[in-house]
Amino acid sequence: MEKYIVKASQNNMRLDKVLVAFMVDKSRNYISKIIDDGNCLVNGKVAKASLKVNVGDVIELEIPEDKPLEVASEDIPLNIIYEDEDILIIDKPQGMVVHPSNGHWEHTLVNAIMAHCKDLSGINGVIRPGIVHRIDKDTSGLICVAKNDKAHNFLAEQLKDHTMSRTYVALARGVIKENHGTINMPIGRDKRNRQKMAVSRENSKEAITNFDVIKRYSEHTLVECHLVTGRTHQIRVHFSYIGHPVEGDPLYGGRSYKKLYSGGQLLTAIKLKLIHPRTQKEMEFETQIPSYFQNILDELH
């Protein structure tokens, strides 16, 4: 049972709108279903979505457990950078979804991993076996998979305390004047579009991105980005916020310019550094900028 207290700023708001603000990581449909199924109480009574709440009201939610799902293994080629009995480092191609979800039950990285490796960490359930961290569908690059629960817990702690280092390369629109920079702006769910994230002071989490300029072009800047935190769409949101959206980004690039590339954001996870869960030794993995990305760079001046 999860419990929320209505704030003064939410007085006289509809219950469903208040919950959307509280549960920033859940979709509006997910929240509506919880209410419609009678799993939401306000001051101890089952409530409807249209109920107007008052400051100090106690909202209680019974979050249903996910139903077990069968995720099929698929014989999809994987670009494996490294593998041992505990971890698997994969260079994910652009266009591949990491794990099954609504609308993407097949052809995901998880489907491919399950065909390659039968023993995976079960910490994140059947939909995300072994998945320690994610990258977006149209972001390519390195991702770490845990083969057992002990390895998963160890790697998850590194993500939590920021000792796992993840480096990306992005092509940003416009010319960035600074050679180095830090974008320290909190990120939360976009109030107007639940499919997007946004820089926000309300219902958000700390988000920090460091960057170094690699090369400047006449209308673009190639940057290396170092994640301190790992929020959803973090690099894409941050660079859009400072006026330099990632080239090709369909969500945060804006509609006022013609994209050089229509296949998605030109963003790739190029380096990954971690402490191995068994040997306790630091390991660093690196991949190349993929050809679709490099081809665009070769055409710039």
Side-chain angles (χ1 to χ4, degrees), residues 4 6 20 23 29 52 62 100 185 187 189 207 255 275:
Y4 304 102
V6 177
V20 165
M23 306 173 73
N29 287 340
K52 297 292 185 67
E62 186 69 44
M185 297 299 293
I187 290 176
R189 187 71 60 179
R255 301 178 180 178
I275 304 298

Side-chain angles (χ1 to χ4, degrees), residues 132-182:
V132 179
H133 63 103
R134 294 176 291 169
I135 53 179
D136 301 332
K137 172 188 173 184
D138 289 327
T139 298
S140 59
L142 301 178
I143 186 167
C144 180
V145 176
K147 286 189 171 184
N148 53 69
D149 288 357
K150 185 176 180 180
H152 196 137
N153 284 324
F154 189 85
L155 293 167
E157 280 300 312
Q158 291 181 60
L159 278 175
K160 186 177 180 180
D161 63 20
H162 312 313
T163 55
M164 180 183 290
S165 172
R166 291 168 290 161
T167 302
Y168 293 71
V169 169
L171 183 64
R173 288 195 63 90
V175 179
I176 298 175
K177 296 179 181 180
E178 299 82 5
N179 291 328
H180 317 280
T182 295

Side-chain angles (χ1 to χ4, degrees), residues 92-112:
K92 185 189 83 69
Q94 186 181 53
M96 176 180 270
V97 175
V98 170
H99 61 77
S101 61
N102 290 333
H104 297 284
W105 295 110
E106 299 177 328
H107 317 313
T108 72
L109 183 67
V110 163
N111 295 111

Side-chain angles (χ1 to χ4, degrees), residues 233-291:
H233 301 172
Q234 180 172 311
I235 292 172
R236 300 164 64 189
V237 172
H238 271 169
F239 275 84
S240 178
Y241 179 77
I242 66 171
H244 296 283
V246 177
E247 177 61 57
D249 194 326
L251 268 183
Y252 305 101
R255 301 178 180 178
S256 61
Y257 67 86
K258 183 179 179 181
K259 297 181 177 67
L260 287 178
Y261 180 70
S262 59
Q265 60 273 3
L266 290 175
L267 176 65
T268 186
I270 201 165
K271 296 178 185 177
L272 179 62
K273 185 186 294 184
L274 53 83
I275 304 298
H276 192 277
R278 187 179 298 267
T279 67
Q280 307 292 301
K281 293 182 179 179
E282 184 177 85
M283 301 185 75
E284 185 170 2
F285 307 96
E286 186 170 358
T287 187
Q288 300 296 315
I289 292 176
S291 59

Side-chain angles (χ1 to χ4, degrees), residues 3-101:
K3 183 180 293 185
Y4 304 102
I5 307 297
V6 177
K7 302 176 182 178
S9 60
Q10 296 165 327
N11 190 55
N12 206 37
M13 285 179 60
R14 282 174 56 107
L15 173 62
D16 54 356
K17 290 186 177 180
V18 171
L19 288 178
V20 165
F22 275 131
M23 306 173 73
V24 295
D25 60 336
K26 301 297 183 183
S27 70
R28 192 180 298 273
N29 287 340
Y30 179 90
I31 293 169
S32 295
K33 189 174 189 311
I34 289 177
I35 298 173
D36 292 343
D37 289 347
N39 291 320
C40 179
L41 305 179
V42 176
N43 299 328
K45 297 180 179 180
V46 175
K48 294 183 178 180
S50 59
L51 175 70
K52 297 292 185 67
V53 297
N54 299 307
V55 59
D57 280 352
V58 178
I59 303 173
E60 294 177 292
L61 290 172
E62 186 69 44
I63 306 297
E65 293 185 8
D66 291 333
K67 295 180 180 179
L69 294 173
E70 290 294 331
V71 179
S73 61
E74 296 182 54
D75 189 13
I76 301 172
L78 290 170
N79 184 6
I80 298 173
I81 303 299
Y82 175 84
E83 181 177 12
D84 62 24
E85 60 187 325
D86 297 298
I87 63 173
L88 187 63
I89 307 297
I90 297 169
D91 190 349
K92 185 189 83 69
Q94 186 181 53
M96 176 180 270
V97 175
V98 170
H99 61 77
S101 61

